[in-house]
Amino acid sequence: MALLEVDRVAVGYVPGIDILRGVSLRVETGHITGIIGPNGAGKSTLLKTIFGFLHPREGRILHAGEEIQAAAPHAIKRRGISYVPQGANVFPQLTVQENLLLGAWVERRDRARVARMLERAYATFPRLRDKRRHRATSLSGGEAKMLSLAKELVTAPSLLLVDEPSAGLAPRIASEVYARLVEACAAGVTILLVDQNITKAVEVSRYLYVIEGGQVRREGPQADFADHLRELIRDSLLGA
């Protein structure tokens, strides 16, 4: 069953110039769906559009069967959709725990529930427990990325939009971040993953789309991509 459907979406940042041109895709419940392609293809624009930062000129976006293409980000967040942009999306002068509490803001009136959410976050990201009283400015790049993920996962969203989770991270730390994404999916969070790390995207995704020039050029299950990593990486680098 599709939790999210993008139906022939056209969108851009200025009138008359579309970045995405008739993009359609489906995100099945309970799985990781990957989006790969060269820089400038429109992958990040797609996530921003789904989350309501941009509104399509044409097309529809459906979450659980309801159209959301005209909704604002705060309304989309209330529906159980969370968004992790590129880089470290944290409040640097706040502590790790204060960042997580902000992530759980919509549940702030239920203190017991918030406490359970924090405990679940610390169980998933043990390194953050040790630094829960530290300001986010003291975190390494990998720890800040983990905090970005934890802040959005703390409310157990139904759908998590993730943009370039390994950008700028050492391979060992990047592998840990992907492991946390796989664990979150196994715990019931559906994930739409935009990634330049072709190898990891193919490894963790059940189904993938290739976006080039603002359009879907190829799609298929993981098995269709696993044997062609070299070609995929070449095409992503060259934009071919």
Side-chain angles (χ1 to χ4, degrees):
M1 174 183 176
L3 178 62
L4 179 77
E5 295 182 69
V6 176
D7 180 26
R8 294 169 292 179
V9 160
V11 67
Y13 296 93
V14 295
I17 303 177
D18 288 337
I19 303 300
L20 299 178
R21 299 180 287 125
V23 167
S24 296
L25 57 82
R26 293 164 57 89
V27 178
E28 301 295 326
T29 301
H31 301 293
I32 299 177
T33 299
I35 300 176
I36 57 179
N39 284 329
K43 304 184 302 296
S44 296
T45 297
L46 176 60
L47 293 192
K48 292 174 184 176
T49 304
I50 293 169
F51 200 66
F53 289 126
L54 297 169
H55 297 298
R57 179 180 62 79
E58 292 180 359
R60 303 182 305 156
I61 302 172
L62 295 92
H63 175 246
E66 296 185 15
E67 294 189 19
I68 62 169
Q69 67 270 7
H74 65 86
I76 291 173
K77 177 78 171 179
R78 288 198 189 102
R79 292 185 62 91
I81 301 175
S82 290
Y83 171 50
V84 183
Q86 294 184 40
N89 183 36
V90 299
F91 296 91
Q93 295 303 320
L94 299 183
T95 66
V96 166
Q97 182 145 314
E98 287 167 343
N99 270 276
L100 292 176
L101 286 171
L102 281 176
W105 180 252
V106 293
E107 304 289 348
R108 64 192 180 278
R109 292 183 178 85
D110 189 339
R111 293 186 178 182
R113 179 171 170 76
V114 169
R116 291 194 298 271
M117 288 177 172
L118 289 180
E119 183 55 36
R120 184 174 63 236
Y122 289 137
T124 304
F125 300 90
R127 196 176 306 186
L128 297 182
R129 185 194 299 276
D130 297 336
K131 297 199 171 185
R132 63 188 181 278
R133 305 298 181 193
H134 295 210
R135 287 188 178 185
T137 50
S138 71
L139 301 179
S140 69
E143 290 166 344
K145 173 55 74 172
M146 290 179 194
L147 179 56
S148 297
L149 283 170
K151 183 164 66 69
E152 299 306 322
L153 285 170
V154 69
T155 53
S158 63
L159 175 63
L160 183 67
L161 311 174
V162 186
D163 196 356
E164 303 285 0
S166 64
L169 301 183
R172 179 178 61 83
I173 301 299
S175 293
E176 188 173 345
V177 169
Y178 286 107
R180 300 292 84 78
L181 289 175
V182 170
E183 288 174 3
C185 185
V189 179
T190 301
I191 296 175
L192 179 59
L193 171 68
V194 160
D195 215 336
Q196 282 290 105
N197 189 330
I198 306 298
T199 301
K200 279 294 185 181
V202 172
E203 179 183 320
V204 303
S205 300
R206 184 181 185 186
Y207 198 91
L208 294 108
Y209 292 85
V210 177
I211 292 183
E212 295 176 5
Q215 296 180 310
V216 174
R217 301 296 187 183
R218 180 180 173 185
E219 65 176 276
Q222 180 192 52
D224 289 356
F225 290 83
D227 294 332
H228 303 284
L229 286 176
R230 183 174 297 179
E231 295 91 331
L232 288 168
I233 293 169
R234 179 203 63 200
D235 292 350
S236 181
L237 290 172
L238 299 178

